[in-house]
């Protein structure tokens, strides 16, 4: 039976900008032996090529098709709900690209969806506009619910913080696409081209990677060495 891997990035392959010892050897072995794998990240701001370039700087040489992001899962999900739909987006980079690639038009009025991803350039005025749109009936979707790392000087609030502000203002809970949501886990597994029984997830976070894998019936490891 074929076997493949869904591999978390931050905390498994690297920590910040530092390679985790042995991760490069592990990935090179997968490439050499032809074992299918995808790096799976909740970061919707980063594009696939951004992720590939970061890995390359650490000595891991992979292709864009080895990366699967929550932005990609979000674009596919919205297109499955309303093909050719519209979205008002609080987000950047990879999220905007994915929505465009999946036929979702970006609008400033009367959207089908309000979509929240990572970003530093949206304002409170834009947040208020998003609140009004949700109260008028737009579906509120977030690319993940990751918390802030709570580190001084961190340049990006976690979506758990920004989505909480909008949820409190609207009284409406956002639909989360990213890990541990079955939406992203299933979407990534399909992109890998394998069945559930053939797929193992490697992650370092119980609340996202491991929980998502358990919910989907995937095998789980909490690190590249299985410890």
């Amino acid at each position: 039976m074929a076997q493949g891997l869904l591999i978390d990035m931050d905390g498994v392959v690297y920590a910040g900008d530092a390679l985790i010892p042995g991760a490069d050897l592990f990935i090179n072995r997968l490439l050499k032996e032809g074992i299918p794998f995808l790096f799976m990240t909740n970061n919707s701001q980063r594009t696939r090529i951004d992720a590939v370039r970061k890995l390359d700087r650490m000595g891991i040489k992979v292709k864009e098709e080895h990366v699967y992001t929550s932005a990609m899962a979000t674009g596919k999900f919205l297109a499955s709900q309303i093909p050719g739909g519209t979205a008002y987006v609080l987000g950047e980079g990879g999220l905007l690209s994915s929505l465009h690639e999946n036929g979702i038009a970006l609008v400033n009025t009367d959207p089908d969806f309000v979509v929240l991803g990572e970003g530093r350039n949206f304002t409170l005025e834009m947040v208020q506009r998003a609140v009004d749109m949700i109260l008028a009936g737009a579906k509120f979707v977030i690319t993940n619910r990751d918390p802030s790392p709570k580190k001084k000087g961190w340049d990006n609030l976690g979506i758990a913080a920004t989505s909480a502000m909008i949820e409190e203002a609207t009284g409406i809970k956002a639909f989360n696409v990213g890990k541990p949501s079955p939406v992203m886990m299933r979407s990534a597994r399909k992109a890998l081209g394998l069945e559930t029984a053939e797929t193992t997830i490697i992650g370092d976070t119980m609340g996202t990677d491991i929980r998502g894998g358990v919910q989907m019936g995937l095998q789980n490891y909490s690190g590249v060495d299985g410890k």
Side-chain angles (χ1 to χ4, degrees), residues 6-24:
L6 297 175
I7 306 171
D8 182 35
M9 300 179 75
D10 201 355
V12 174
V13 178
Y14 53 73
D17 291 319
L19 179 73
I20 291 178
D24 53 343

Side-chain angles (χ1 to χ4, degrees), residues 173-196:
K173 191 81 168 177
F175 182 86
N176 175 34
V177 173
K179 298 180 293 182
S181 169
V183 173
M184 181 163 176
M185 307 302 291
R186 187 180 299 112
S187 185
R189 194 255 309 158
K190 289 181 178 179
L192 189 61
L194 296 175
E195 298 299 323
T196 299

Side-chain angles (χ1 to χ4, degrees), residues 108-119:
N108 290 315
T109 57
D110 301 320
D112 297 311
F113 306 98
V114 168
V115 184
L116 173 64
E118 293 90 351

Side-chain angles (χ1 to χ4, degrees), residues 119-168:
R120 299 178 62 191
N121 295 323
F122 49 82
T123 64
L124 282 176
E125 181 181 356
M126 294 170 66
V127 170
Q128 182 61 62
R129 190 180 304 165
V131 167
D132 288 342
M133 291 171 175
I134 294 167
L135 291 174
K139 304 295 188 296
F140 184 25
V141 177
I142 55 179
T143 60
N144 63 71
R145 200 180 285 278
D146 289 356
S148 168
K150 300 173 180 63
K151 296 179 181 178
K152 183 180 179 181
W154 193 257
D155 63 359
N156 206 334
L157 289 175
I159 293 181
T162 50
S163 63
M165 177 171 56
I166 297 175
E167 287 172 333
E168 197 285 329

Side-chain angles (χ1 to χ4, degrees), residues 16 26 37 44 84 86 112 121 137 161 165 198 216:
F26 177 70
F37 69 92
S44 64
T86 59
D112 297 311
N121 295 323
M165 177 171 56
E198 300 170 330
M216 290 298 295

